[in-house]
Amino acid sequence: MFKDIFLQAMEAMRFNGRRTTITIVGMAWGIATVVLLLAYGAGFGRAFEAIFAQWGTHMIGVFPGTTSEQAGGAKAGIKVRFKQDDVERIQETVPGILHVSPMLWKQVPVQNDLHTYTWEVDGVTPELSDIMNMQIDEGRFISAADMQQRNHVAVIGAEAKTKLFSGIFPLGQKIRINGINFEVIGVLKPKMQEGDDNINRVSYIPFPTMGDIKDTKYLDGIWMNYHGDHMAVERALRNQMGAAHGFRPTDKNAMWVANIMSQLAQFRIISLGLQALLLFIGVLTLGIAGIGLMNIMLVSVQQRTREIGVEKALGARKRHILFQFLAEALVITGVGGLGGILLAFAVSKVVGGITFYSAIATNASGADIYLLISPNIVIVATTVLVLVGIVSGMIPAIQAANLDPIEALRYE
């Protein structure tokens, strides 16, 4: 029975070829719009993920501030200072912590025989490489042996390499940091950099060696990575550091916390909102095509009124008529949907990447928007298409099924 109904639907479509073609084109355009809008929304979300992923999303930094709330008998306005003991405290008492690295930084002259610049130099431990997802382009990062022996070695950023050495092989070369000789042992791969941001000019040296440049008694900050819930880790951090330094855990000014996952979660909400909006716009566009399909099917019902009357007179039941017209609508929808999905894939290949973050940042092509059509997008678009096809075809089909056979036979 279903085969016969399908063949009848195909025959009716061939009989009204021009009208059917226009309707199919409308459905194809509608579903292509849905798929491309969803792909754009997904690409927007992936772009933000790529921006944060270059640092590592499960990363937290804490920085000393000044108390703004009274705690115990102490007044507000007391400066908080972090020490090396705090690194051990965090590692041992905060659940979920994987690696911890103290950090000291200072703007100092960095020079070789040809060039002199004033750049940031950071004193860190080997763990920072894992914490900040640092990718080595040449050489290696700071090692435990460098820490123990207080080696005068440096890992430099990609821009620092270019400015200091141009095309010269940098490994093994000597640079002077604040007048002290250091050997270049590694070069980092470039990170996305906005404007005059110095991220690719920073030089990293062993934390103990930083004592030759700056007093290491008090830390400028502590970076760590973790597993588990980011908010639970932050609460535990505030509780432990507050108890150790005599400030309230609720005092945001006493200790500044850079919780990367919290920031990413906010962007994810924005991304989901954008995808919902784009889906709504796409469904409206497809709905317009569905209205066109409904109108065409209503015209078809009117033109075939006598045919319907003959079928009913010969014993056709309501469900047979219903399925016949609904099948025709679904075949038009299916053909248009397949064509629209293929069109969307073709457009995504032709368009490629859409400039987004690279418009304001260098080395940021990975954070541009790419129209990558995932299976989930195809499933969502197909589901919407089927619903639109059923709704658009059902109303004319019900009208055809409910025609009175006697009145239908009289219809001119």
Side-chain angles (χ1 to χ4, degrees):
M1 182 183 73
F2 289 105
K3 181 179 179 180
D4 293 336
I5 291 174
F6 178 78
L7 292 176
Q8 283 181 323
M10 293 299 295
E11 182 63 31
M13 289 168 59
R14 283 194 294 268
F15 181 75
N16 299 292
R18 181 180 299 177
R19 183 179 68 195
T20 301
T21 301
I22 294 173
T23 307
I24 288 174
V25 170
M27 296 301 293
W29 181 261
I31 194 63
T33 301
V34 173
V35 172
L36 290 173
L37 286 174
L38 289 177
Y40 181 88
F44 182 83
R46 281 191 294 267
F48 275 114
E49 295 282 348
I51 294 171
F52 283 92
Q54 69 169 339
W55 301 105
T57 53
H58 287 70
M59 178 177 71
I60 291 178
V62 294
F63 310 95
T66 303
T67 60
S68 58
E69 300 178 12
Q70 290 185 356
K75 296 180 179 180
I78 297 176
K79 188 174 180 60
V80 177
R81 294 183 181 273
F82 293 165
K83 296 183 179 180
Q84 187 65 32
D85 292 344
D86 292 311
V87 176
E88 300 174 5
R89 180 178 294 105
I90 290 172
Q91 185 74 71
E92 295 172 358
T93 63
V94 178
I97 294 297
L98 299 176
H99 303 98
V100 186
S101 174
M103 181 177 282
L104 287 168
W105 57 79
K106 188 175 182 180
Q107 295 281 342
V108 296
V110 178
Q111 58 190 152
N112 59 7
D113 293 336
L114 299 176
H115 306 282
T116 300
Y117 301 95
T118 299
W119 287 336
E120 179 182 322
V121 174
D122 292 354
V124 299
T125 63
E127 288 78 10
L128 192 72
S129 177
D130 291 322
I131 295 170
M132 288 193 169
N133 193 26
M134 291 180 170
Q135 303 294 318
I136 296 292
D137 190 32
E138 299 176 78
R140 64 176 178 86
F141 198 69
I142 295 164
S143 67
D146 295 325
M147 297 280 291
Q148 293 171 357
Q149 299 168 18
R150 298 184 83 255
N151 290 337
H152 284 69
V153 294
V155 178
I156 62 177
E159 187 180 347
K161 169 198 167 183
T162 301
K163 289 183 175 294
L164 287 170
F165 301 108
S166 299
I168 300 174
F169 185 67
L171 300 185
Q173 298 288 335
K174 298 292 184 180
I175 61 174
R176 292 185 296 279
I177 298 177
N178 205 33
I180 303 170
N181 284 328
F182 282 78
E183 178 185 348
V184 177
I185 60 169
V187 178
L188 297 174
K189 289 184 178 180
K191 290 185 179 291
M192 302 176 192
Q193 176 179 330
E194 294 184 30
D196 198 38
D197 187 5
N198 70 340
I199 184 59
N200 290 313
R201 298 193 295 267
V202 176
S203 298
Y204 299 91
I205 65 176
F207 183 83
T209 312
M210 188 69 178
D212 295 342
I213 299 173
K214 181 178 180 178
D215 186 0
T216 60
K217 181 178 181 181
Y218 297 117
L219 308 179
D220 292 322
I222 303 172
W223 284 100
M224 67 211 74
N225 61 352
Y226 62 92
H227 63 81
D229 179 61
H230 63 283
M231 293 307 298
V233 173
E234 181 176 337
R235 284 194 297 270
L237 267 172
R238 290 191 177 278
N239 289 334
Q240 292 296 334
M241 297 297 281
H245 291 274
F247 63 83
R248 294 173 182 262
T250 56
D251 191 347
K252 306 295 185 181
N253 294 323
M255 182 178 73
W256 302 95
V257 178
N259 192 333
I260 306 302
M261 186 56 73
S262 293
Q263 299 173 26
L264 178 57
Q266 295 174 5
F267 283 108
R268 282 175 174 171
I269 293 173
I270 295 173
S271 177
L272 286 174
L274 176 63
Q275 291 182 56
L277 175 61
L278 293 176
L279 177 60
F280 177 71
I281 295 172
V283 170
L284 287 181
T285 304
L286 187 57
I288 294 172
I291 292 173
L293 172 62
M294 186 187 302
N295 288 333
I296 292 299
M297 294 304 300
L298 289 171
V299 171
S300 179
V301 170
Q302 185 178 21
Q303 291 178 342
R304 296 161 61 185
T305 298
R306 285 182 62 83
E307 177 189 330
I308 296 169
V310 171
E311 291 181 3
K312 285 196 169 186
L314 293 175
R317 297 184 178 181
K318 282 187 176 183
R319 67 173 182 271
H320 297 145
I321 305 297
L322 180 70
F323 287 150
Q324 178 183 339
F325 282 88
L326 185 58
E328 183 176 341
L330 290 178
V331 169
I332 293 174
T333 301
V335 174
L338 179 60
I341 291 174
L342 293 176
L343 174 62
F345 272 102
V347 171
S348 68
K349 292 293 184 183
V350 172
V351 171
I354 301 173
T355 300
F356 179 56
Y357 194 52
S358 63
I360 60 173
T362 57
N363 311 309
S365 59
D368 283 338
I369 296 174
Y370 292 89
L371 300 179
L372 302 178
I373 301 174
S374 67
N376 289 338
I377 289 176
V378 175
I379 291 172
V380 171
T382 302
T383 302
V384 173
L385 177 68
V386 170
L387 292 175
V388 170
I390 291 175
V391 172
S392 300
M394 185 63 73
I395 294 175
I398 291 174
Q399 179 176 324
N402 289 332
L403 284 176
D404 183 86
I406 297 176
E407 294 296 328
L409 289 171
R410 290 176 180 175
Y411 184 81
E412 294 295 335

